[in-house]
Amino acid sequence: MFYHPRRLLLAFILCALVCPLTVPAQVTTSNLSGTVMDERDAAVAGARITLLNTATGFQRETLTNSNGYFIISLLEPGNYTLIAETPGFSAYTVNDITINASINASVEIILRPKPIHEEVTIQASDSASIETNRIDITNAAVKYSVSNEQVISLPVLTTTLGRNTLGVLSFLIPGVMPSSPVGSAQADSNRRGNQMSINGSRSSSVAFNLEGGDNNDHEFSRSASPFPNPDALQEFTIVTSSYQADLGRSSGGIVNAVAKSGTTEIKGNLRYFLINEAFNARGFFDTDKPRDRVSTFG
């Protein structure tokens, strides 16, 4: 049977329109929103908002609308500095704004007239009136972030297979409990990430995302590939309930991990982890000290 080339081309175009390719949503970025008011609680329209990533130098700008509201979307996790400026008012600077993965932040700014002082600078972490990373008021999802400070400061024991962040730090989150791997999953659970239960859900109901992409091993209900080791991991967020449609798939919870993207400075470290029975005391009922050895470096 002979098919005309034009008919084949038309059939291909119709198939592409009817069966579009699906692209997974990027869920590791966050939004920063807020309002700019004056001392009389009147909205300040047209104020210029500048947001600077202190580590990478990345900068975003926007203007407030007629209600004094602004939003800056698709921000990578990290520390930022915000500057609000408008004619007739002192510049307002907020340092140390922490943007966590998948957790939207908000800030309220009150501008003051500019008689003498040109600039007002505060620390977000030192002011009770500036809270940018405690509660996400833009939706009802319950989220917990394990920040980069916790990742690099809290101990993550190593094995012959390396260091597994999910095997330790994820269980700092309320409601997150380890699940026992089954079958062959027991052998390499440290390499790929332990199974977990969130708020009593099945381990198969937990989804793992890495850099916004699907990272699920459906056979063993765990992360398909190892999460970055603590030196390369920026942070991860666990969404435990009431999450939005862009995080859909699993009813138990979502684990979002973000790797470090680098900074304008050169950084590095050297580590060595040693376990040997020579350093251990012999048990009271043991005739010999059991062999227990791990030696890794990086």
Side-chain angles (χ1 to χ4, degrees), residues 159-183:
T159 68
T160 55
L161 297 174
R163 294 181 295 169
N164 173 31
T165 307
L166 278 182
V168 178
L169 300 185
S170 57
F171 305 124
L172 299 174
I173 304 302
V176 180
M177 298 293 293
S179 299
S180 299
V182 179

Side-chain angles (χ1 to χ4, degrees), residues 65-143:
N65 62 13
S66 59
N67 296 320
Y69 178 80
F70 71 91
I71 183 170
I72 302 178
S73 305
L74 303 177
L75 296 174
E76 295 292 338
N79 291 325
Y80 291 81
T81 294
L82 182 146
I83 302 174
E85 300 173 295
T86 193
F89 292 87
S90 299
Y92 197 96
T93 302
V94 183
N95 294 321
D96 295 332
I97 296 179
T98 301
I99 299 297
N100 299 118
S102 305
I103 301 180
N104 296 328
S106 60
V107 60
E108 294 184 359
I109 298 173
I110 299 179
L111 297 181
R112 299 175 182 176
K114 186 172 60 176
I116 299 176
H117 298 287
E118 294 291 332
E119 183 174 348
V120 177
T121 302
I122 65 171
Q123 297 293 123
S125 57
D126 298 335
S127 175
S129 61
I130 301 295
E131 291 290 346
T132 59
N133 60 343
R134 299 297 183 186
I135 299 177
D136 184 355
I137 62 175
T138 61
N139 59 69
V142 180
K143 309 173 184 178

Side-chain angles (χ1 to χ4, degrees), residues 2-10:
F2 176 75
Y3 294 96
H4 195 277
R6 293 184 178 179
R7 293 183 178 180
L8 288 176
L9 178 61
L10 179 60

